[in-house]
Amino acid sequence: MLHTVYNIGFTFVPSIRNMKYVIIGAVAGGASAAARLRRLDEKAEIVIFEKGEYISYANCGLPYYIGNVIKDRNKLFVQTAASFNQRFNIDVRTLTEVIAINPDEKTVTAKNQLTGKEYKETFDKLVLSPGAEPIRPPLPGILNEGIFTLRNVSDTDYIKSYVQQKTTKRAVVIGAGFIGLEMAENLHDLGIEVSIIEMGNQILAPIDYSMAAIAQQHIRSKGVHLHLNTMVTGFDKDENGLLVQIKDQEAIPADLVIMSIGVKPDTRLAQMAGLKLGDAKGIWVNEFLQTSNPDIYAVGDAIEFENPITNQSMNTYLAGPANKQGRMAANNIVLGNKQSYKGAINTAIVKVFDLTVATAGAASKNLIRSGIKHIISTTHSGSHAGYYPGAKQMSIQIAFSEDDGRLLGAQIVGYDGVDKRIDVMSSVIQRGSTIYELEEFEHAYAPPYSSAKDPVNMAGFVAENILNKHHEVFYWNEIDSLPESAQLIDVRTAKEYEHGHIPGAMNIPVDDMRMRLSEINEKEPIYLYCQGGLRGYLAQKILKQNGFNQTLNLSGGYQVWNTCELENKVRMKLEMELA
């Protein structure tokens, strides 16, 4: 188990001349850096430039303000320019865009967007926090009224005003990432008919298909139209509103369109200043968040760093890492480069109507792309003790090293308690620890909150069994490629089997297994499944100890297979319609 101890030594010895710090960008990372700089250096001159009208606001709350979940607009603001200046004695210049950086002169050129005046400001140390900008492809008609991106407070105000002033009955959200899904839910809750268009074969690209499939069915159950594998080619407008043009399909009518297909690092200033960019097209920084110029630091959405799991360069667009980076950069500026940034494992969570979807670390598909050998395991557990009212199921998929059990990724889909479980998993991944820690994790237990064996423990138990060959598994996407001689056995009850089963499976309930061994050919491979995995595992133990050695159990059970099969049928139906 790895432990990192920081001894930063917060003793500041003032220099002969007061330092001057300039920060470009005043939302998450920039505001955090500025406040920390002031706490460490009371005498310094600190200037923040922000091209927008607002500073230090809650990006992640914007969709919920549009949906009237957050009713008071002022609650979106952590600080205002005036309050920031009063509390921290920081010169905050909003509506002022930095248009150039001269590293040799150690100056920035700023432009007041109200007056048009340009002027230079000197610095001793500079912090870049320009963020990211929404991707807005040059599609025909994209400049039509009613087509928006959502990135800042001004965007939010425009969208909210448009929804209120226009007769908005139909909305199309293009892109099924975190923001896209949040916008779809909030627009739906306003009584608007919502369609989601996603070019990929699933929602939420950071998670694996089998987990995304659960949320996709939930979205459809809410009456939202979900179009996967669908490409937008442009926009038209007629007397009834907008028409979203789709490749090889009929256009989708809309009164409002939200473009949410992703963002890209804003590196324009960095490139103009000659700063190094990395492989992921973000601003390159070293472990101390220093750019290629030692007097310029960078934080937030615009930077890139090495992923601690895949060791590949990456960007991350999350508020948590940006805020931490801002604090860390300030520490290194004032106290010397002593605190190393270890990278982010992209822990994220999103509310999808009644469901919660969370992820930490690397998805199996990304591990495969990176050539990292691993095992995946899927378990289904109750959010708390089953005998206490209100327990709801959560599905947990983890990926771990086949060599030593190091936890590489975790994904959870459920209703209650998803957040606290993903935080545990995130901590284990971040420290490079293993599935064995999941087994030993000591949680707070009372029937309303958990079970004696928490879902985290259960995920660890199953993973340990798989890793040590006590439990041999196969996966839902291998069903169609089983050998001809395979014996597929459903070990659920006869009633469950009749309600729905995998084609070609015979039914031998686990409680009858010992009495019906003669019906199974021990010389041919046996593939077992139950609803969630547990009964299949029990049946496997019975068979193996009776000489049936070629026995595997379906990871995640019929539930995973059926969910993915239903999604595949939706896709196949669409393909047939297009043909």
Side-chain angles (χ1 to χ4, degrees):
M1 190 179 300
L2 301 176
H3 297 278
T4 303
V5 179
Y6 298 117
N7 183 9
I8 302 173
F10 293 104
T11 302
F12 174 60
V13 178
S15 59
I16 297 174
R17 180 180 64 82
N18 292 337
M19 296 291 285
K20 183 175 182 179
Y21 306 123
V22 169
I23 297 116
I24 301 174
V27 187
S32 178
R36 183 64 173 172
L37 284 169
R38 173 57 73 217
R39 291 194 293 270
L40 294 176
D41 189 349
E42 177 62 25
K43 301 299 182 181
E45 181 182 356
I46 303 174
V47 181
I48 301 181
F49 291 100
E50 170 54 50
K51 64 182 179 181
E53 187 176 353
Y54 307 101
I55 72 163
S56 192
Y57 56 84
N59 287 69
C60 301
L62 301 181
Y64 299 99
Y65 173 63
I66 293 172
N68 287 335
V69 176
I70 299 171
K71 298 185 184 301
D72 185 352
R73 183 176 179 276
N74 290 327
K75 291 187 179 296
L76 295 172
F77 301 98
V78 181
Q79 293 278 354
T80 64
S83 66
F84 208 68
N85 174 268
Q86 183 176 11
R87 175 160 294 179
F88 296 107
N89 188 26
I90 291 174
D91 184 355
V92 182
R93 303 179 190 177
T94 58
L95 292 172
T96 305
E97 182 177 8
V98 173
I99 57 176
I101 301 169
N102 189 322
D104 296 329
E105 292 181 357
K106 300 186 79 170
T107 62
V108 300
T109 302
K111 180 178 181 179
N112 185 309
Q113 296 185 69
L114 295 178
T115 65
K117 178 184 177 183
E118 295 183 12
Y119 60 93
K120 289 187 176 182
E121 196 75 42
T122 61
F123 65 84
D124 293 305
K125 299 290 183 181
L126 177 67
V127 178
L128 278 173
S129 182
E133 52 189 2
I135 296 172
R136 196 176 174 95
L139 295 172
I142 197 168
L143 297 179
N144 275 319
E145 183 186 27
I147 301 174
F148 299 93
T149 57
L150 176 61
R151 187 64 185 170
N152 53 42
V153 176
S154 296
D155 294 337
T156 306
D157 290 339
Y158 292 142
I159 295 170
K160 193 173 180 71
S161 175
Y162 190 87
V163 170
Q164 291 173 341
Q165 293 179 14
K166 306 288 184 177
T167 306
T168 305
K169 296 181 179 180
R170 305 159 301 178
V172 171
V173 176
I174 302 174
F178 294 96
I179 298 299
L181 293 184
E182 289 172 344
M183 278 303 305
E185 177 183 347
N186 280 281
L187 291 171
H188 176 272
D189 289 349
L190 291 175
I192 298 170
E193 181 183 356
V194 176
S195 298
I196 301 172
I197 300 175
E198 169 56 49
M199 191 164 64
N201 70 334
Q202 65 166 79
I203 64 170
L204 297 173
I207 69 175
D208 288 308
Y209 181 82
S210 58
M211 301 300 281
I214 303 171
Q216 286 165 194
Q217 290 187 22
H218 183 68
I219 290 169
R220 290 192 181 95
S221 75
K222 296 295 182 179
V224 172
H225 310 293
L226 181 58
H227 305 267
L228 301 173
N229 297 298
T230 302
M231 180 184 293
V232 175
T233 58
F235 306 91
D236 287 324
K237 199 159 190 178
D238 61 17
E239 65 277 6
N240 296 316
L242 293 163
L243 287 171
V244 182
Q245 299 294 341
I246 307 297
K247 182 179 180 181
D248 299 327
Q249 297 180 47
E250 289 186 9
I252 299 175
D255 303 307
L256 170 74
V257 173
I258 304 293
M259 296 290 298
S260 184
I261 61 175
V263 296
K264 60 183 179 180
D266 186 348
T267 60
R268 290 170 294 181
L269 284 173
Q271 291 184 75
M272 289 167 58
L275 300 180
K276 178 182 175 182
L277 300 187
D279 295 337
K281 307 302 181 185
I283 302 171
W284 177 90
V285 292
N286 64 13
E287 62 182 311
F288 304 114
L289 298 170
Q290 239 172 345
T291 68
S292 52
N293 184 306
D295 292 321
I296 302 176
Y297 291 70
V299 299
D301 294 353
I303 72 170
E304 68 171 69
F305 45 83
E306 190 176 273
N307 183 285
I309 299 169
T310 65
N311 298 320
Q312 296 179 348
S313 292
M314 59 168 283
N315 314 106
T316 189
Y317 306 111
L318 299 170
N323 276 281
K324 298 177 184 72
Q325 291 161 12
R327 175 187 172 91
M328 190 178 297
N331 289 341
N332 290 331
I333 288 171
V334 178
L335 306 167
N337 289 337
K338 297 181 179 180
Q339 191 172 8
S340 297
Y341 184 59
K342 306 300 182 185
I345 61 168
N346 282 354
T347 303
I349 193 166
V350 61
K351 180 180 179 293
V352 184
F353 293 94
D354 304 323
L355 273 180
T356 299
V357 181
T359 179
S364 175
K365 60 186 178 183
N366 295 330
L367 293 170
I368 291 171
R369 290 193 194 104
S370 300
I372 298 174
K373 294 181 179 180
H374 64 285
I375 300 168
I376 61 174
S377 172
T378 302
T379 53
H380 310 286
S381 303
S383 55
H384 58 253
Y387 58 83
Y388 187 88
K392 295 182 179 178
Q393 188 184 81
M394 66 174 66
S395 298
I396 299 178
Q397 178 184 292
I398 60 174
F400 51 96
S401 169
E402 61 182 38
D403 295 324
D404 57 7
R406 178 190 171 197
L407 189 62
L408 304 172
Q411 299 165 33
I412 308 178
V413 180
Y415 295 88
D416 295 329
V418 170
D419 53 344
K420 68 178 182 179
R421 272 74 180 209
I422 201 66
D423 287 344
V424 172
M425 299 283 193
S426 176
S427 176
V428 173
I429 295 168
Q430 195 171 32
R431 291 181 289 106
S433 192
T434 69
I435 59 169
Y436 300 107
E437 184 175 345
L438 303 183
E439 294 183 283
E440 299 167 6
F441 169 66
E442 184 176 340
H443 59 288
Y445 163 56
Y449 304 105
S450 184
S451 301
K453 295 177 182 178
D454 189 79
V456 170
N457 300 137
M458 294 305 299
F461 295 149
V462 173
E464 187 268 338
N465 277 337
I466 296 173
L467 186 63
N468 293 322
K469 309 297 184 183
H470 299 310
H471 182 196
E472 296 183 70
V473 298
F474 69 109
Y475 299 98
W476 70 270
N477 55 355
E478 297 175 333
I479 291 287
D480 293 337
S481 58
L482 296 181
E484 289 186 12
S485 59
Q487 302 170 89
L488 184 61
I489 303 176
D490 186 326
V491 302
R492 299 174 301 164
T493 65
K495 186 174 182 180
E496 288 175 288
Y497 177 83
E498 291 170 5
H499 190 262
H501 60 270
I502 300 175
M506 62 186 296
N507 181 220
I508 304 179
V510 64
D511 294 336
D512 298 341
M513 186 64 68
R514 294 179 181 87
M515 297 179 291
R516 297 176 61 178
L517 294 177
S518 61
E519 299 177 32
I520 307 171
N521 185 347
E522 67 180 48
K523 295 181 181 180
E524 300 295 346
I526 303 163
Y527 295 84
L528 306 169
Y529 71 89
C530 63
Q531 188 67 19
L534 175 58
R535 285 174 289 174
Y537 166 66
L538 299 177
Q540 183 185 63
K541 301 304 288 185
I542 292 170
L543 289 172
K544 280 186 172 290
Q545 293 179 63
N546 278 279
F548 297 83
N549 295 318
Q550 300 181 72
T551 305
L552 292 91
N553 181 38
L554 179 59
S555 180
Y558 178 80
Q559 180 173 329
V560 170
W561 176 85
N562 189 49
T563 300
C564 294
E565 186 69 9
L566 289 172
E567 284 301 302
N568 287 340
K569 286 179 179 177
V570 171
R571 174 180 54 80
M572 291 172 62
K573 181 181 178 182
L574 176 61
E575 290 175 354
M576 290 177 64
E577 290 174 351
L578 293 177

